Amino acid sequence: QVQLVESGGGLVQPGGSLRLSCAASGSSFSTYVVGWYRQAPGKQRELVAVITRANNPTYAESVKGRFTISRDGAKNTVYLQMNSLRPEDTAVYYCNAYNLGSSKWGQGTQVTVSS
C-alpha cells in the first residue's frame, strides 16, 4: 500500500511562492490519481488540484493560473507549485492518492501566507 509524505510548507509573504511535494513509497505512484486538498481553520477540506494517471490536471477556480500540479514518475513524487500566494491560501495542505477504491492521505503540511 502506498505511503505518502508531504513537505515544502512554510511561512511566505503575499505574492510569494512555495512548492509542495508529495512523495510516495511502498507502491508506484503512476497508477494513482493524486490530489492536493487544503483545510483552513473552521472550514471544510477542499480540493485544490488533481492529476490523473494520464497526467491531466484539474484545478479549483480559486487557484487557476496560480498553482500547477505535476508528477515526476522517476522520483515517485507529485508537486504543487504555488505562485502569487494570498492570505486566503493559508491552510494545511494534504496529498491524497486514489486507485481502485483505495484512498490514502498524507499527514499534511502547513502553508501560512502573511506579511
Side-chain angles (χ1 to χ4, degrees), residues 1-6 22-23 32 35-39 45-48 92-98 102-108:
Q1 189 177 11
V2 69
Q3 303 295 321
L4 306 177
V5 177
E6 298 107 328
C22 175
Y32 287 78
W36 282 99
Y37 293 74
R38 66 186 181 188
Q39 188 167 18
R45 191 172 297 190
E46 63 175 356
L47 177 65
V48 175
V92 178
Y93 283 70
Y94 297 90
C95 176
N96 174 269
Y98 176 84
S102 173
S103 179
K104 186 72 175 180
W105 292 92
Q107 83 287 354

PDB file of all heavy atoms in Angstrom, residues 1-6 22-23 32 35-39 45-48 92-98 102-108:
ATOM      1  N   GLN A   1       0.847  -1.181   0.000  1.00  0.00           N
ATOM      2  CA  GLN A   1       0.000   0.000   0.000  1.00  0.00           C
ATOM      3  C   GLN A   1       0.894   1.246   0.000  1.00  0.00           C
ATOM      4  O   GLN A   1       1.930   1.259   0.648  1.00  0.00           O
ATOM      5  CB  GLN A   1      -0.917   0.026   1.210  1.00  0.00           C
ATOM      6  CG  GLN A   1      -1.974   1.113   1.148  1.00  0.00           C
ATOM      7  CD  GLN A   1      -2.913   1.054   2.332  1.00  0.00           C
ATOM      8  OE1 GLN A   1      -2.657   0.326   3.295  1.00  0.00           O
ATOM      9  NE2 GLN A   1      -3.987   1.798   2.282  1.00  0.00           N
ATOM     10  N   VAL A   2       0.461   2.256  -0.719  1.00  0.00           N
ATOM     11  CA  VAL A   2       1.278   3.458  -0.836  1.00  0.00           C
ATOM     12  C   VAL A   2       1.272   4.242   0.469  1.00  0.00           C
ATOM     13  O   VAL A   2       0.271   4.309   1.188  1.00  0.00           O
ATOM     14  CB  VAL A   2       0.758   4.335  -1.997  1.00  0.00           C
ATOM     15  CG1 VAL A   2      -0.598   4.935  -1.681  1.00  0.00           C
ATOM     16  CG2 VAL A   2       1.775   5.398  -2.356  1.00  0.00           C
ATOM     17  N   GLN A   3       2.395   4.813   0.808  1.00  0.00           N
ATOM     18  CA  GLN A   3       2.547   5.736   1.938  1.00  0.00           C
ATOM     19  C   GLN A   3       2.943   7.091   1.373  1.00  0.00           C
ATOM     20  O   GLN A   3       3.752   7.167   0.444  1.00  0.00           O
ATOM     21  CB  GLN A   3       3.617   5.236   2.905  1.00  0.00           C
ATOM     22  CG  GLN A   3       3.369   3.838   3.445  1.00  0.00           C
ATOM     23  CD  GLN A   3       2.126   3.758   4.317  1.00  0.00           C
ATOM     24  OE1 GLN A   3       1.850   4.677   5.085  1.00  0.00           O
ATOM     25  NE2 GLN A   3       1.381   2.667   4.196  1.00  0.00           N
ATOM     26  N   LEU A   4       2.368   8.147   1.948  1.00  0.00           N
ATOM     27  CA  LEU A   4       2.587   9.491   1.416  1.00  0.00           C
ATOM     28  C   LEU A   4       3.229  10.386   2.461  1.00  0.00           C
ATOM     29  O   LEU A   4       2.823  10.361   3.636  1.00  0.00           O
ATOM     30  CB  LEU A   4       1.257  10.111   0.986  1.00  0.00           C
ATOM     31  CG  LEU A   4       0.409   9.300   0.002  1.00  0.00           C
ATOM     32  CD1 LEU A   4      -0.911  10.023  -0.258  1.00  0.00           C
ATOM     33  CD2 LEU A   4       1.167   9.086  -1.287  1.00  0.00           C
ATOM     34  N   VAL A   5       4.185  11.213   2.021  1.00  0.00           N
ATOM     35  CA  VAL A   5       4.812  12.190   2.904  1.00  0.00           C
ATOM     36  C   VAL A   5       4.843  13.528   2.181  1.00  0.00           C
ATOM     37  O   VAL A   5       5.449  13.647   1.111  1.00  0.00           O
ATOM     38  CB  VAL A   5       6.240  11.771   3.289  1.00  0.00           C
ATOM     39  CG1 VAL A   5       6.887  12.860   4.146  1.00  0.00           C
ATOM     40  CG2 VAL A   5       6.221  10.441   4.041  1.00  0.00           C
ATOM     41  N   GLU A   6       4.169  14.524   2.775  1.00  0.00           N
ATOM     42  CA  GLU A   6       4.179  15.870   2.202  1.00  0.00           C
ATOM     43  C   GLU A   6       5.313  16.680   2.819  1.00  0.00           C
ATOM     44  O   GLU A   6       5.686  16.484   3.981  1.00  0.00           O
ATOM     45  CB  GLU A   6       2.861  16.601   2.465  1.00  0.00           C
ATOM     46  CG  GLU A   6       1.637  15.959   1.862  1.00  0.00           C
ATOM     47  CD  GLU A   6       0.778  15.296   2.904  1.00  0.00           C
ATOM     48  OE1 GLU A   6       1.345  14.809   3.889  1.00  0.00           O
ATOM     49  OE2 GLU A   6      -0.451  15.274   2.741  1.00  0.00           O
ATOM     50  N   CYS A  22       4.774  15.720  -2.590  1.00  0.00           N
ATOM     51  CA  CYS A  22       4.095  14.546  -2.037  1.00  0.00           C
ATOM     52  C   CYS A  22       4.859  13.333  -2.538  1.00  0.00           C
ATOM     53  O   CYS A  22       4.732  12.952  -3.711  1.00  0.00           O
ATOM     54  CB  CYS A  22       2.643  14.513  -2.480  1.00  0.00           C
ATOM     55  SG  CYS A  22       1.750  13.031  -1.961  1.00  0.00           S
ATOM     56  N   ALA A  23       5.662  12.760  -1.666  1.00  0.00           N
ATOM     57  CA  ALA A  23       6.493  11.625  -2.039  1.00  0.00           C
ATOM     58  C   ALA A  23       5.812  10.321  -1.636  1.00  0.00           C
ATOM     59  O   ALA A  23       5.327  10.189  -0.513  1.00  0.00           O
ATOM     60  CB  ALA A  23       7.857  11.730  -1.361  1.00  0.00           C
ATOM     61  N   TYR A  32      -1.911   5.905  -9.690  1.00  0.00           N
ATOM     62  CA  TYR A  32      -2.825   6.608  -8.794  1.00  0.00           C
ATOM     63  C   TYR A  32      -3.275   7.948  -9.365  1.00  0.00           C
ATOM     64  O   TYR A  32      -2.496   8.651 -10.016  1.00  0.00           O
ATOM     65  CB  TYR A  32      -2.164   6.880  -7.434  1.00  0.00           C
ATOM     66  CG  TYR A  32      -2.024   5.644  -6.567  1.00  0.00           C
ATOM     67  CD1 TYR A  32      -1.024   4.712  -6.795  1.00  0.00           C
ATOM     68  CD2 TYR A  32      -2.898   5.427  -5.506  1.00  0.00           C
ATOM     69  CE1 TYR A  32      -0.905   3.586  -6.000  1.00  0.00           C
ATOM     70  CE2 TYR A  32      -2.776   4.308  -4.704  1.00  0.00           C
ATOM     71  CZ  TYR A  32      -1.786   3.396  -4.963  1.00  0.00           C
ATOM     72  OH  TYR A  32      -1.668   2.284  -4.167  1.00  0.00           O
ATOM     73  N   GLY A  35      -4.384  13.942  -5.694  1.00  0.00           N
ATOM     74  CA  GLY A  35      -4.956  15.260  -5.493  1.00  0.00           C
ATOM     75  C   GLY A  35      -4.310  15.989  -4.335  1.00  0.00           C
ATOM     76  O   GLY A  35      -3.823  15.364  -3.389  1.00  0.00           O
ATOM     77  N   TRP A  36      -4.289  17.298  -4.431  1.00  0.00           N
ATOM     78  CA  TRP A  36      -3.920  18.172  -3.311  1.00  0.00           C
ATOM     79  C   TRP A  36      -5.200  18.807  -2.778  1.00  0.00           C
ATOM     80  O   TRP A  36      -6.002  19.343  -3.552  1.00  0.00           O
ATOM     81  CB  TRP A  36      -2.959  19.262  -3.742  1.00  0.00           C
ATOM     82  CG  TRP A  36      -1.546  18.805  -3.895  1.00  0.00           C
ATOM     83  CD1 TRP A  36      -0.906  18.463  -5.047  1.00  0.00           C
ATOM     84  CD2 TRP A  36      -0.587  18.630  -2.849  1.00  0.00           C
ATOM     85  NE1 TRP A  36       0.387  18.101  -4.786  1.00  0.00           N
ATOM     86  CE2 TRP A  36       0.609  18.189  -3.440  1.00  0.00           C
ATOM     87  CE3 TRP A  36      -0.614  18.810  -1.464  1.00  0.00           C
ATOM     88  CZ2 TRP A  36       1.766  17.930  -2.702  1.00  0.00           C
ATOM     89  CZ3 TRP A  36       0.520  18.551  -0.727  1.00  0.00           C
ATOM     90  CH2 TRP A  36       1.698  18.105  -1.343  1.00  0.00           C
ATOM     91  N   TYR A  37      -5.367  18.724  -1.472  1.00  0.00           N
ATOM     92  CA  TYR A  37      -6.501  19.317  -0.781  1.00  0.00           C
ATOM     93  C   TYR A  37      -5.958  20.287   0.272  1.00  0.00           C
ATOM     94  O   TYR A  37      -4.791  20.221   0.644  1.00  0.00           O
ATOM     95  CB  TYR A  37      -7.331  18.235  -0.083  1.00  0.00           C
ATOM     96  CG  TYR A  37      -8.040  17.278  -1.008  1.00  0.00           C
ATOM     97  CD1 TYR A  37      -7.338  16.295  -1.698  1.00  0.00           C
ATOM     98  CD2 TYR A  37      -9.421  17.342  -1.184  1.00  0.00           C
ATOM     99  CE1 TYR A  37      -7.993  15.417  -2.552  1.00  0.00           C
ATOM    100  CE2 TYR A  37     -10.078  16.459  -2.022  1.00  0.00           C
ATOM    101  CZ  TYR A  37      -9.357  15.498  -2.703  1.00  0.00           C
ATOM    102  OH  TYR A  37     -10.009  14.626  -3.534  1.00  0.00           O
ATOM    103  N   ARG A  38      -6.833  21.150   0.759  1.00  0.00           N
ATOM    104  CA  ARG A  38      -6.426  22.030   1.852  1.00  0.00           C
ATOM    105  C   ARG A  38      -7.590  22.232   2.804  1.00  0.00           C
ATOM    106  O   ARG A  38      -8.759  22.125   2.414  1.00  0.00           O
ATOM    107  CB  ARG A  38      -5.934  23.375   1.329  1.00  0.00           C
ATOM    108  CG  ARG A  38      -6.984  24.235   0.645  1.00  0.00           C
ATOM    109  CD  ARG A  38      -6.331  25.474   0.040  1.00  0.00           C
ATOM    110  NE  ARG A  38      -7.310  26.344  -0.619  1.00  0.00           N
ATOM    111  CZ  ARG A  38      -6.984  27.408  -1.359  1.00  0.00           C
ATOM    112  NH1 ARG A  38      -5.693  27.727  -1.528  1.00  0.00           N
ATOM    113  NH2 ARG A  38      -7.914  28.138  -1.918  1.00  0.00           N
ATOM    114  N   GLN A  39      -7.226  22.510   4.040  1.00  0.00           N
ATOM    115  CA  GLN A  39      -8.223  22.770   5.066  1.00  0.00           C
ATOM    116  C   GLN A  39      -7.766  23.928   5.931  1.00  0.00           C
ATOM    117  O   GLN A  39      -6.735  23.844   6.607  1.00  0.00           O
ATOM    118  CB  GLN A  39      -8.474  21.526   5.921  1.00  0.00           C
ATOM    119  CG  GLN A  39      -9.642  21.669   6.878  1.00  0.00           C
ATOM    120  CD  GLN A  39     -10.074  20.347   7.475  1.00  0.00           C
ATOM    121  OE1 GLN A  39      -9.331  19.366   7.451  1.00  0.00           O
ATOM    122  NE2 GLN A  39     -11.285  20.306   7.990  1.00  0.00           N
ATOM    123  N   ARG A  45     -12.466  20.638   4.333  1.00  0.00           N
ATOM    124  CA  ARG A  45     -11.379  20.333   3.420  1.00  0.00           C
ATOM    125  C   ARG A  45     -11.881  20.493   1.990  1.00  0.00           C
ATOM    126  O   ARG A  45     -12.985  20.059   1.655  1.00  0.00           O
ATOM    127  CB  ARG A  45     -10.883  18.903   3.656  1.00  0.00           C
ATOM    128  CG  ARG A  45      -9.583  18.562   2.953  1.00  0.00           C
ATOM    129  CD  ARG A  45      -9.058  17.211   3.391  1.00  0.00           C
ATOM    130  NE  ARG A  45      -8.726  17.201   4.822  1.00  0.00           N
ATOM    131  CZ  ARG A  45      -8.077  16.209   5.415  1.00  0.00           C
ATOM    132  NH1 ARG A  45      -7.709  15.137   4.700  1.00  0.00           N
ATOM    133  NH2 ARG A  45      -7.803  16.273   6.704  1.00  0.00           N
ATOM    134  N   GLU A  46     -11.066  21.123   1.148  1.00  0.00           N
ATOM    135  CA  GLU A  46     -11.467  21.364  -0.231  1.00  0.00           C
ATOM    136  C   GLU A  46     -10.389  20.906  -1.198  1.00  0.00           C
ATOM    137  O   GLU A  46      -9.200  20.940  -0.888  1.00  0.00           O
ATOM    138  CB  GLU A  46     -11.753  22.854  -0.458  1.00  0.00           C
ATOM    139  CG  GLU A  46     -10.567  23.773  -0.274  1.00  0.00           C
ATOM    140  CD  GLU A  46     -10.866  25.218  -0.629  1.00  0.00           C
ATOM    141  OE1 GLU A  46     -11.980  25.517  -1.091  1.00  0.00           O
ATOM    142  OE2 GLU A  46      -9.950  26.051  -0.466  1.00  0.00           O
ATOM    143  N   LEU A  47     -10.846  20.495  -2.389  1.00  0.00           N
ATOM    144  CA  LEU A  47      -9.920  20.078  -3.427  1.00  0.00           C
ATOM    145  C   LEU A  47      -9.266  21.301  -4.054  1.00  0.00           C
ATOM    146  O   LEU A  47      -9.945  22.262  -4.414  1.00  0.00           O
ATOM    147  CB  LEU A  47     -10.665  19.263  -4.491  1.00  0.00           C
ATOM    148  CG  LEU A  47      -9.840  18.804  -5.683  1.00  0.00           C
ATOM    149  CD1 LEU A  47      -8.768  17.817  -5.244  1.00  0.00           C
ATOM    150  CD2 LEU A  47     -10.735  18.185  -6.741  1.00  0.00           C
ATOM    151  N   VAL A  48      -7.941  21.236  -4.199  1.00  0.00           N
ATOM    152  CA  VAL A  48      -7.180  22.320  -4.809  1.00  0.00           C
ATOM    153  C   VAL A  48      -6.819  21.971  -6.247  1.00  0.00           C
ATOM    154  O   VAL A  48      -7.017  22.757  -7.166  1.00  0.00           O
ATOM    155  CB  VAL A  48      -5.912  22.609  -3.997  1.00  0.00           C
ATOM    156  CG1 VAL A  48      -5.049  23.648  -4.694  1.00  0.00           C
ATOM    157  CG2 VAL A  48      -6.268  23.061  -2.588  1.00  0.00           C
ATOM    158  N   VAL A  92      -3.753  23.948   5.995  1.00  0.00           N
ATOM    159  CA  VAL A  92      -2.962  22.720   5.964  1.00  0.00           C
ATOM    160  C   VAL A  92      -3.257  22.034   4.624  1.00  0.00           C
ATOM    161  O   VAL A  92      -4.433  21.843   4.281  1.00  0.00           O
ATOM    162  CB  VAL A  92      -3.305  21.783   7.136  1.00  0.00           C
ATOM    163  CG1 VAL A  92      -2.494  20.495   7.038  1.00  0.00           C
ATOM    164  CG2 VAL A  92      -3.044  22.479   8.468  1.00  0.00           C
ATOM    165  N   TYR A  93      -2.209  21.707   3.906  1.00  0.00           N
ATOM    166  CA  TYR A  93      -2.349  21.091   2.596  1.00  0.00           C
ATOM    167  C   TYR A  93      -2.075  19.587   2.708  1.00  0.00           C
ATOM    168  O   TYR A  93      -1.066  19.179   3.289  1.00  0.00           O
ATOM    169  CB  TYR A  93      -1.391  21.739   1.601  1.00  0.00           C
ATOM    170  CG  TYR A  93      -1.879  23.087   1.135  1.00  0.00           C
ATOM    171  CD1 TYR A  93      -1.895  24.175   1.992  1.00  0.00           C
ATOM    172  CD2 TYR A  93      -2.333  23.272  -0.170  1.00  0.00           C
ATOM    173  CE1 TYR A  93      -2.359  25.407   1.569  1.00  0.00           C
ATOM    174  CE2 TYR A  93      -2.799  24.503  -0.610  1.00  0.00           C
ATOM    175  CZ  TYR A  93      -2.810  25.571   0.266  1.00  0.00           C
ATOM    176  OH  TYR A  93      -3.282  26.786  -0.151  1.00  0.00           O
ATOM    177  N   TYR A  94      -2.973  18.812   2.136  1.00  0.00           N
ATOM    178  CA  TYR A  94      -2.889  17.352   2.196  1.00  0.00           C
ATOM    179  C   TYR A  94      -2.799  16.763   0.790  1.00  0.00           C
ATOM    180  O   TYR A  94      -3.455  17.239  -0.144  1.00  0.00           O
ATOM    181  CB  TYR A  94      -4.132  16.765   2.868  1.00  0.00           C
ATOM    182  CG  TYR A  94      -4.335  17.175   4.296  1.00  0.00           C
ATOM    183  CD1 TYR A  94      -5.080  18.316   4.616  1.00  0.00           C
ATOM    184  CD2 TYR A  94      -3.813  16.419   5.345  1.00  0.00           C
ATOM    185  CE1 TYR A  94      -5.282  18.692   5.933  1.00  0.00           C
ATOM    186  CE2 TYR A  94      -4.017  16.789   6.666  1.00  0.00           C
ATOM    187  CZ  TYR A  94      -4.755  17.921   6.944  1.00  0.00           C
ATOM    188  OH  TYR A  94      -4.957  18.298   8.248  1.00  0.00           O
ATOM    189  N   CYS A  95      -2.060  15.705   0.696  1.00  0.00           N
ATOM    190  CA  CYS A  95      -1.965  14.931  -0.533  1.00  0.00           C
ATOM    191  C   CYS A  95      -2.835  13.683  -0.389  1.00  0.00           C
ATOM    192  O   CYS A  95      -2.893  13.081   0.690  1.00  0.00           O
ATOM    193  CB  CYS A  95      -0.497  14.540  -0.755  1.00  0.00           C
ATOM    194  SG  CYS A  95      -0.185  13.489  -2.148  1.00  0.00           S
ATOM    195  N   ASN A  96      -3.521  13.321  -1.463  1.00  0.00           N
ATOM    196  CA  ASN A  96      -4.349  12.119  -1.465  1.00  0.00           C
ATOM    197  C   ASN A  96      -4.066  11.316  -2.720  1.00  0.00           C
ATOM    198  O   ASN A  96      -3.968  11.869  -3.816  1.00  0.00           O
ATOM    199  CB  ASN A  96      -5.825  12.491  -1.413  1.00  0.00           C
ATOM    200  CG  ASN A  96      -6.732  11.284  -1.567  1.00  0.00           C
ATOM    201  OD1 ASN A  96      -7.127  10.912  -2.666  1.00  0.00           O
ATOM    202  ND2 ASN A  96      -7.048  10.649  -0.448  1.00  0.00           N
ATOM    203  N   ALA A  97      -3.945  10.001  -2.541  1.00  0.00           N
ATOM    204  CA  ALA A  97      -3.748   9.105  -3.672  1.00  0.00           C
ATOM    205  C   ALA A  97      -4.903   8.125  -3.736  1.00  0.00           C
ATOM    206  O   ALA A  97      -5.277   7.517  -2.726  1.00  0.00           O
ATOM    207  CB  ALA A  97      -2.426   8.357  -3.525  1.00  0.00           C
ATOM    208  N   TYR A  98      -5.470   7.983  -4.921  1.00  0.00           N
ATOM    209  CA  TYR A  98      -6.650   7.132  -5.098  1.00  0.00           C
ATOM    210  C   TYR A  98      -6.406   6.157  -6.245  1.00  0.00           C
ATOM    211  O   TYR A  98      -5.952   6.545  -7.329  1.00  0.00           O
ATOM    212  CB  TYR A  98      -7.886   7.977  -5.405  1.00  0.00           C
ATOM    213  CG  TYR A  98      -9.105   7.149  -5.701  1.00  0.00           C
ATOM    214  CD1 TYR A  98      -9.889   6.658  -4.660  1.00  0.00           C
ATOM    215  CD2 TYR A  98      -9.466   6.821  -7.007  1.00  0.00           C
ATOM    216  CE1 TYR A  98     -11.002   5.882  -4.921  1.00  0.00           C
ATOM    217  CE2 TYR A  98     -10.571   6.041  -7.270  1.00  0.00           C
ATOM    218  CZ  TYR A  98     -11.336   5.573  -6.221  1.00  0.00           C
ATOM    219  OH  TYR A  98     -12.429   4.788  -6.489  1.00  0.00           O
ATOM    220  N   SER A 102      -9.165   2.404  -3.332  1.00  0.00           N
ATOM    221  CA  SER A 102      -8.298   2.635  -2.175  1.00  0.00           C
ATOM    222  C   SER A 102      -7.858   4.088  -2.145  1.00  0.00           C
ATOM    223  O   SER A 102      -7.384   4.614  -3.148  1.00  0.00           O
ATOM    224  CB  SER A 102      -7.073   1.724  -2.256  1.00  0.00           C
ATOM    225  OG  SER A 102      -6.146   2.040  -1.239  1.00  0.00           O
ATOM    226  N   SER A 103      -8.007   4.726  -0.987  1.00  0.00           N
ATOM    227  CA  SER A 103      -7.654   6.133  -0.834  1.00  0.00           C
ATOM    228  C   SER A 103      -6.702   6.288   0.341  1.00  0.00           C
ATOM    229  O   SER A 103      -6.941   5.747   1.417  1.00  0.00           O
ATOM    230  CB  SER A 103      -8.912   6.971  -0.588  1.00  0.00           C
ATOM    231  OG  SER A 103      -8.591   8.330  -0.416  1.00  0.00           O
ATOM    232  N   LYS A 104      -5.625   7.029   0.112  1.00  0.00           N
ATOM    233  CA  LYS A 104      -4.626   7.217   1.145  1.00  0.00           C
ATOM    234  C   LYS A 104      -4.307   8.696   1.291  1.00  0.00           C
ATOM    235  O   LYS A 104      -4.158   9.402   0.288  1.00  0.00           O
ATOM    236  CB  LYS A 104      -3.337   6.461   0.783  1.00  0.00           C
ATOM    237  CG  LYS A 104      -2.280   6.468   1.844  1.00  0.00           C
ATOM    238  CD  LYS A 104      -2.665   5.581   2.995  1.00  0.00           C
ATOM    239  CE  LYS A 104      -1.542   5.490   4.024  1.00  0.00           C
ATOM    240  NZ  LYS A 104      -1.917   4.609   5.157  1.00  0.00           N
ATOM    241  N   TRP A 105      -4.206   9.163   2.546  1.00  0.00           N
ATOM    242  CA  TRP A 105      -3.881  10.558   2.838  1.00  0.00           C
ATOM    243  C   TRP A 105      -2.501  10.674   3.457  1.00  0.00           C
ATOM    244  O   TRP A 105      -2.070   9.795   4.211  1.00  0.00           O
ATOM    245  CB  TRP A 105      -4.901  11.142   3.818  1.00  0.00           C
ATOM    246  CG  TRP A 105      -6.263  11.306   3.267  1.00  0.00           C
ATOM    247  CD1 TRP A 105      -7.293  10.403   3.319  1.00  0.00           C
ATOM    248  CD2 TRP A 105      -6.764  12.441   2.564  1.00  0.00           C
ATOM    249  NE1 TRP A 105      -8.401  10.907   2.687  1.00  0.00           N
ATOM    250  CE2 TRP A 105      -8.112  12.163   2.221  1.00  0.00           C
ATOM    251  CE3 TRP A 105      -6.233  13.675   2.179  1.00  0.00           C
ATOM    252  CZ2 TRP A 105      -8.919  13.064   1.525  1.00  0.00           C
ATOM    253  CZ3 TRP A 105      -7.020  14.565   1.491  1.00  0.00           C
ATOM    254  CH2 TRP A 105      -8.347  14.270   1.164  1.00  0.00           C
ATOM    255  N   GLY A 106      -1.853  11.796   3.170  1.00  0.00           N
ATOM    256  CA  GLY A 106      -0.635  12.131   3.869  1.00  0.00           C
ATOM    257  C   GLY A 106      -0.957  12.847   5.164  1.00  0.00           C
ATOM    258  O   GLY A 106      -2.133  13.058   5.500  1.00  0.00           O
ATOM    259  N   GLN A 107       0.083  13.260   5.882  1.00  0.00           N
ATOM    260  CA  GLN A 107      -0.105  13.857   7.211  1.00  0.00           C
ATOM    261  C   GLN A 107      -0.378  15.356   7.149  1.00  0.00           C
ATOM    262  O   GLN A 107      -0.806  15.945   8.136  1.00  0.00           O
ATOM    263  CB  GLN A 107       1.143  13.595   8.079  1.00  0.00           C
ATOM    264  CG  GLN A 107       2.284  14.575   7.875  1.00  0.00           C
ATOM    265  CD  GLN A 107       3.037  14.396   6.573  1.00  0.00           C
ATOM    266  OE1 GLN A 107       2.792  13.443   5.823  1.00  0.00           O
ATOM    267  NE2 GLN A 107       3.971  15.295   6.287  1.00  0.00           N
ATOM    268  N   GLY A 108      -0.146  15.968   5.999  1.00  0.00           N
ATOM    269  CA  GLY A 108      -0.402  17.388   5.832  1.00  0.00           C
ATOM    270  C   GLY A 108       0.826  18.250   6.069  1.00  0.00           C
ATOM    271  O   GLY A 108       1.737  17.864   6.807  1.00  0.00           O
TER     272      GLY A 108
END
